[in-house]
Amino acid sequence: MTWWILRRLGQMLIVLFGVVSLAFLLVYAVPADPASTLAGPNASAATIASIHAQLGLDNPLWQQYLGFIGRLLTGDLGTSYVLRETPVFGRIVAALPTTLLVAVGGIIWQIILGVPAGIYAAYRRGSWVDRLVTFLSLIGLSAPPFWLGLLLIYYFAFSWGLFPLNGLGSPVFWYLVLPTFTLGAGGGAWYARMTRTNMIETLDSPFVRMARAKGMPEHVILWRHSFRHIAIPLLTMIGLDFGYFLGGVVIVETVFGLNGIGRLAFDAISNLDTPMIVGTVLFAAIFIVVVNFIVDLLYSVIDPRVRLNS
Amino acid sequence: MKRSLRVVLLGAAMAIALTACTAPGGSTSSGSGSSGSSETALYGGTMTTAAASDPETFDPAVCTGATCWNIMRMVFDRMYDYDGATSNLKLQAAEDFPTVSDDGLTYTMKLKSGLTFSDGSPVTAKDVAYSYARVLDPATKAGLAEFWKGIAGAADYAANPTGLPSGIVVVDDLTLKITLATPNSSFKYVLAMPAGSIIPADSGSTIATKPVGSGPFTLATFEPGVQVMLDRNPNYWDSPRPYVDHVHMILGVDPDNQVLMLQKGDIDLMGSPIPPAKFLQVTTDAKYKEQIVTIEKPSTYYLTMNMNTPPFDNPKVREAVSYAFDRDGLLKLVNGQGKPATEFIPPGVLGNSGENLTQAQNVEKAKSLLAEAGYPNGFDTQFYAWNVAPFSALAPQMQQDLKAIGINADLQTLAPNTFAELAGSGKAPLALTFWVADYPEGSDFLQALLSCATAVPQGQNFAYYCSPEMDADVQQALAATDPAQATADYTAATKIMLADNPVVPLYFGTKTEIRGANVGNYFPQPIWGWDMAEYWKADGSTARS
């Protein structure tokens, strides 16, 4: 167990190092100069060159890369190129609570929308409910989040005035309903489909037939025995989604004007703000890696057959 | 672990794809319009606005983005500023307009007496001198430093930034003398640019986070990604301005959402332009007719032909392209936001000739010119443009227009910063671009975009055009003291340039805005955008409480 954890920690570090290096190098592969973005559209060549030199962008790439890794090891993510005087680390940490709220809300919607529908559709396979769930999940999967978000804003916030239009306020719950639903709708559709497929498989398995044969009540078969079977793939999905959402939900945060990591990443990429791009990617990677680790640990709790050793 | 990595990259890819939706961040806004629900000034209340992104900085020497630009005008005073909805200068911190020596080189300026910064300290000539010198210090990273390099001793100061450049002399507490290296009649406008904002001497290290100015408002709070709150400066010299007590700026609001918030009354003014998809819906709705203002924006949208890249090194080919486009047709694609370009310098900018110097679409003529040039069957080339509106709407039609005269242009639309890098480095045979005036003087177009000095990598001269004759005429215009003479010189320069066809001017931009129903005395400022000190709330009180 200890060995397993140590090995996983080592793997996590390698992944993070790789992700950060790739993010750093990808920004350089883009044929654009951050200095010209900084200097504004009406700047002269001489001014751009001067700013270019001030940012240390004249140094060879390997030198910039080593300097960057060196600072990273001391926990310094640098200062944003675009938002002057803004330390990247502090800015991301400030955006974290909003992203956390949106991520948790999105996961809750996914589970509420997807899991019961999937279970019921599997249980009443071929019924109109099953067909309705399949149809709705198709819509949920196809609807692009920015379109769904704008639609919800237009009707629920603008026309009918049920929810606020933008940002966060008090009570927070009220401001979160639309963005988290937008986030959860697509995922909910996935959950419904996956739950249905796994549940159908489980309900067809010999142990369920055995349970039915000995007269076990249906709700016990469904919720106590079968549900536990689909919990493992479900947990994997929730874990992945949670890690992914915590890394910032670019579209939802931008459309709803939420001050989260996703919007930071969006602005940073539009402006080629290298330190902020690398910082947001690093945070996203950390969340995904850590949540995956936790999910792996939880497997052994849910399924006693899983043993954590090499 | 492979899966996790893929998810991260997918997120990044999505974000990159999304940048396609960002509107071009025009740093300057525009025109001459008016509105207002009551004639008498009303006091108090909070003007609520929204912006798509955070202010990059509160340092006026560094600010080039639209959001911080608006804040600069609220927090700081400059010696001179633009008057109302016009492009004319008015006095701000200065007591009078500068006294210019006969050789046009020395400007003597006097400050109003009794001005104070928001921290209570007096505004002196020393502060003004410091503010100007700071722009020239490379460590400041001022994006528009180029405009200030005409001050004598600027280059020496940039190399060794201590004290003041030799061209800036503090005569006494209220008097400042600036000497230029060459006569430049547009220098007075430079003093009205954001970088000309007056900050307390030696406050350079803190100005970006704790701005102290003598302007109509002071910065109260800044929550990154959330909001900016500005309070009225109760000691502002230009009483009774400003009229409103607070300006609240909500940050990170998507432009589509800004329209809805304005229509719903949640905000009073939009920081972003009306998004193209909403444009007709908003501007044709009778309900908002009173709230719509259209102004002429001192801007030109144009095509560049890189003269170093064959076949555009051939004057006949460039002339042929000048006959290729249907300007009225192009304007329909941008919701009619502009008028056909008659020359390169837009109206409202000194140097606009008032003559028609562009060619109407003439496919036959273009084809015969191409044949004369040795391309009877046309040729293949590359055409680059921004991937955002209005360029994304214009470029495909322009590609069709080029096709009609026999030129097969491979169209590539790029993110703005990638485009700037590519076109600036001379790799774009054809590029669709635009320019918004920094100040209302022709040199900001001819010198900044088409002079020999700018025909260098990373420059704005995407055509790599260089004509010493044109440059000489522009210099003559800058030395002229009489506006009529300057206009004649600029017109001569424009004619020389357009005869060489390095660019095809397409249209002069206009900007249509919507203001909230509750905003009084609203007018957009052609150079700056907002003039917040002049606006009031229609539900304000008749006397200051």
Side-chain angles (χ1 to χ4, degrees), chain B residues 105-367:
Chain B
L105 290 177
T106 307
Y107 287 62
T108 310
M109 297 182 285
K110 240 183 145 50
L111 271 168
K112 285 189 172 80
S113 61
L115 295 182
T116 54
F117 287 112
S118 58
D119 64 359
S121 58
V123 179
T124 68
K126 206 174 138 233
D127 301 310
V128 183
Y130 170 79
S131 308
Y132 294 171
R134 194 171 159 265
V135 179
L136 289 166
D137 180 350
T140 307
K141 300 198 201 84
L144 299 176
E146 194 69 19
F147 292 107
W148 299 77
K149 289 183 182 165
I151 295 177
D156 292 339
Y157 183 77
N160 177 26
T162 47
L164 290 173
S166 62
I168 302 181
V169 176
V170 178
V171 179
D172 60 44
D173 264 7
L174 296 177
T175 315
L176 185 73
K177 204 157 82 182
I178 295 184
T179 312
L180 302 179
T182 49
N184 181 350
S185 59
S186 68
F187 186 68
K188 55 185 183 290
Y189 294 115
V190 172
L191 300 176
M193 290 172 74
S197 297
I198 303 167
I199 67 172
D202 304 317
S203 66
S205 56
T206 54
I207 199 78
T209 46
K210 293 186 178 62
V212 172
S214 55
F217 295 91
T218 56
L219 178 70
T221 50
F222 169 46
E223 281 178 67
V226 182
Q227 58 182 346
V228 177
M229 186 67 94
L230 298 124
D231 292 342
R232 180 173 71 90
N233 174 2
N235 303 319
Y236 192 53
W237 63 270
D238 196 13
S239 180
R241 290 168 198 83
Y243 299 106
V244 295
D245 287 340
H246 309 279
V247 177
H248 182 203
M249 199 177 263
I250 306 170
L251 302 175
V253 187
D254 185 73
D256 281 304
N257 240 353
Q258 290 184 26
V259 175
L260 296 179
M261 290 175 85
L262 187 131
Q263 291 177 335
K264 208 158 171 256
D266 287 359
I267 59 169
D268 298 309
L269 294 172
M270 286 174 63
S272 304
I274 303 171
K278 281 224 156 67
F279 191 84
L280 287 178
Q281 184 203 334
V282 171
T283 54
T284 55
D285 192 331
K287 212 164 105 192
Y288 304 112
K289 198 163 172 264
E290 293 293 307
Q291 289 160 248
I292 302 286
V293 195
T294 298
I295 56 164
E296 221 165 61
K297 183 166 143 172
S299 57
T300 305
Y301 292 73
Y302 61 101
L303 176 82
T304 64
M305 290 175 265
N306 188 332
M307 294 173 63
N308 291 344
T309 310
F312 296 107
D313 53 348
N314 185 328
K316 290 258 187 251
V317 171
R318 296 198 302 273
E319 194 187 346
V321 174
S322 77
Y323 286 98
F325 304 107
D326 169 19
R327 293 183 173 79
D328 292 314
L330 290 176
L331 278 168
K332 283 190 193 124
L333 300 172
V334 295
N335 296 316
Q337 292 191 87
K339 38 187 208 180
T342 46
E343 63 132 295
F344 191 61
I345 301 173
V349 173
L350 180 74
N352 175 278
S353 61
E355 298 173 42
N356 185 14
L357 305 173
T358 57
Q359 323 298 346
Q361 188 183 38
N362 186 339
V363 176
E364 287 318 307
K365 171 110 183 168
K367 276 182 171 167

Side-chain angles (χ1 to χ4, degrees), chain A residues 127-147:
Chain A
S127 70
W128 67 270
V129 179
D130 184 18
R131 285 199 294 273
L132 183 70
V133 167
T134 311
F135 176 69
L136 286 180
S137 67
L138 184 72
I139 292 181
L141 284 177
S142 323
F146 70 87
W147 174 81

